[in-house]
Amino acid sequence: MATAVADQEAILKELLKVGAKTSFGAEHKLSEVKTYDEYKQAVPVRDYEEYKKYIEQIKEGKHNILWKGKPIYFAKTSGTTSGVKYIPITKESIPNHINTARNALLCYMAETGNSAFADGRLIFLSGSPELERIGGIPTGRLSGIVNHHVPSYLRSNQLPSYETNCIEDWETKLDKIVEETIDQNMTLISGIPPWMQMYFDRLNNVSGKKIKDLFPSLSVLVHGGVNFTPYRAKLFESIGRKMDTIETFPASEGFFAFQDSQDQEALLLNTNSGIHFEFIPAGEIFNDQPTRLSLKDVKEGENYALIVNNNAGLWSYNIGDTIRFVSLDPYRIQVTGRIKHFISAFGEHVIGEEVEYSLMKAAKEEGAQITEFTVAPVIQQAEGKSYHEWFVEFANKPPDLSSFATKVDVNLRQKNIYYDDLIKGHILQPLNIRIVRKNGFIDYMKSVGKLGGQNKVPRLSNDRQVAAALERYLE
């Protein structure tokens, strides 16, 4: 924490030293780069599409392209725009993924004194650990790759079994996980919140019991991938009590941050783990020459696009996530959304954090419980004003949907001045909520082949693709 800025500067120097000897380094004259300012001049910000040509060379078997030698793995991830992405993981970068997960647990143990959970049974839900080979390089989901590196001191307590983790069909896999865990002393569960909820629902259906009665020693949930807030109330109700949670921010490109304290909902930025971070004010991300900042120049409260340089050979790589610093001593962040997941069909630029806040504040006041939701614009071509359409699946419905929708709308107007201006100017009418039937989102995800694993429902879209498909799952 104390040496974050110095660590970041040292990491960039080390990355440049290795990178200078690669094809990418030669192309961008990295051997001549001495400072971060020089680096910004030498290497532009890129997304996966602009990286593909280098990845293709690695897949053809070429060495020393983005990093020395060849990657030891490709993490296979489905991009929203690029189809399948192949993200390199090297011998130097794999410790970032493994040790950061360990550090999150060790910080929790040190702060709370709770280390007993390590003696019980732990679920690390992962994609299939069976890997294919692409260009001679073992390739699979990040969670499946990491499964091969679970430390031996945790391996003996780990569930589900290797065979169950290899099952591709999500519902079959879930049934097997329930079968293998229902009578075990489960103490820690790790996964994305919608997966945990499905797992708890299935356990409840099979046993008729609350989770606290099935697993009395369950003491911690480790989660990441989506904002926990919309899922918290329903998860704790399924469990039958509140419990400690540890939030993480992992991705195929690196393990970026983790919750280091139960007193802080924000996540400690991982400043000394082989990654040099850059930050672009979110409003500038699509500019030709955006402002690029290193850690020492960031401000609290600003929304930034997160840019990554790492020891797997990613250089000024735009991962597509936005973050905000809530503290600069130490450097703690909140994930605020995805660059491409916003609504600006009318110039309002509404982001994920704003819709989640608006919905959850209204839900708390009205005693409603949210299972899942997504938002899309309705653009009126003929008579009538356009509006935002919210598809919401409730575990507990609000007593009056119309009054609930008004509250959500007021909350969003307070959060986003552009949206407020559009409502005031009678360009948009207030939002409309449509109720998705029970398990409607699960059935929708199943219908598009994205049920389970690390797949998430996009919170916001600028088009009607998800909205149109959800029409079939309304009450």
Side-chain angles (χ1 to χ4, degrees), residues 131-421:
L131 306 176
E132 56 179 331
R133 282 187 178 266
I134 304 278
I137 296 168
T139 301
R141 300 280 176 200
L142 174 70
S143 55
I145 291 167
V146 168
N147 197 285
H148 291 273
H149 294 266
V150 172
S152 55
Y153 58 86
L154 295 177
R155 174 76 71 189
S156 57
N157 292 351
Q158 186 191 355
L159 285 169
S161 64
Y162 186 89
E163 295 71 28
T164 295
N165 258 338
C166 289
I167 296 170
E168 287 292 346
D169 178 71
W170 177 247
E171 301 222 79
T172 311
K173 183 173 186 165
L174 192 54
D175 285 337
K176 283 298 288 179
I177 292 170
V178 166
E179 197 179 299
E180 286 182 5
T181 57
I182 198 163
D183 57 355
Q184 295 293 319
N185 177 32
M186 301 306 302
T187 52
L188 175 145
I189 292 172
S190 169
I192 67 170
W195 171 78
M196 289 192 207
Q197 190 59 61
M198 286 175 68
Y199 172 57
F200 290 162
D201 288 347
R202 197 67 60 99
L203 283 165
N204 178 255
N205 289 342
V206 170
S207 68
K209 293 180 180 175
K210 291 270 190 198
I211 304 307
K212 71 177 174 64
D213 300 321
L214 277 177
F215 305 141
S217 304
L218 181 64
S219 62
V220 62
L221 302 181
V222 181
H223 63 89
V226 294
N227 182 5
F228 189 63
T229 308
Y231 301 96
R232 186 194 312 262
K234 186 157 188 268
L235 280 166
F236 286 166
E237 186 184 272
S238 300
I239 294 165
R241 62 182 168 84
K242 287 185 175 174
M243 64 170 48
D244 290 345
T245 61
I246 305 172
E247 184 175 356
T248 60
F249 182 16
S252 301
E253 296 87 352
F255 205 138
F256 304 129
F258 61 91
Q259 185 180 356
D260 64 307
S261 168
Q262 290 295 297
D263 295 332
Q264 292 282 340
E265 285 207 349
L267 312 182
L268 185 71
L269 192 66
N270 205 2
T271 49
N272 193 16
S273 185
I275 301 170
H276 176 268
F277 295 104
E278 300 179 72
F279 308 90
I280 295 177
E284 295 185 35
I285 189 62
F286 298 115
N287 293 4
D288 288 340
Q289 296 289 324
T291 306
R292 291 163 68 179
L293 306 170
S294 64
L295 189 65
K296 69 180 172 53
D297 295 317
V298 297
K299 293 191 175 83
E300 222 173 280
E302 276 251 5
N303 211 26
Y304 294 112
L306 190 62
I307 309 298
V308 168
N309 304 277
N310 74 0
N311 51 9
L314 297 179
W315 301 95
S316 292
Y317 183 86
N318 177 7
I319 61 163
D321 286 308
T322 56
I323 59 100
R324 176 188 295 117
F325 284 92
V326 297
S327 154
L328 302 182
D329 183 21
Y331 288 97
R332 287 202 178 102
I333 63 168
Q334 286 175 335
V335 182
T336 52
R338 297 281 298 160
I339 288 160
K340 288 179 176 138
H341 288 179
F342 60 87
I343 294 185
S344 203
F346 316 98
E348 64 275 41
H349 211 93
V350 169
I351 61 171
E353 179 198 40
E354 292 167 345
V355 298
E356 284 169 351
Y357 165 85
S358 304
L359 185 63
M360 299 323 295
K361 185 168 185 273
K364 193 173 178 187
E365 287 169 7
E366 294 280 313
Q369 250 181 40
I370 313 299
T371 301
E372 193 60 271
F373 73 97
T374 190
V375 187
V378 173
I379 301 169
Q380 296 288 17
Q381 304 296 340
E383 288 298 303
K385 294 193 285 274
S386 302
Y387 57 93
H388 287 183
E389 187 168 48
W390 294 51
F391 291 81
V392 184
E393 183 181 332
F394 292 99
N396 282 338
K397 287 179 195 165
D400 180 340
L401 187 65
S402 164
S403 136
F404 179 77
T406 301
K407 281 192 174 177
V408 177
D409 201 68
V410 167
N411 294 342
L412 188 54
R413 289 177 67 175
Q414 286 169 351
K415 240 346 194 184
N416 185 303
I417 54 168
Y418 305 109
Y419 180 72
D420 186 45
D421 286 345

Side-chain angles (χ1 to χ4, degrees), residues 101-114:
R102 175 203 68 196
N103 292 349
L105 293 178
L106 290 179
C107 282
Y108 171 76
M109 288 175 169
E111 183 184 56
T112 63
N114 174 18

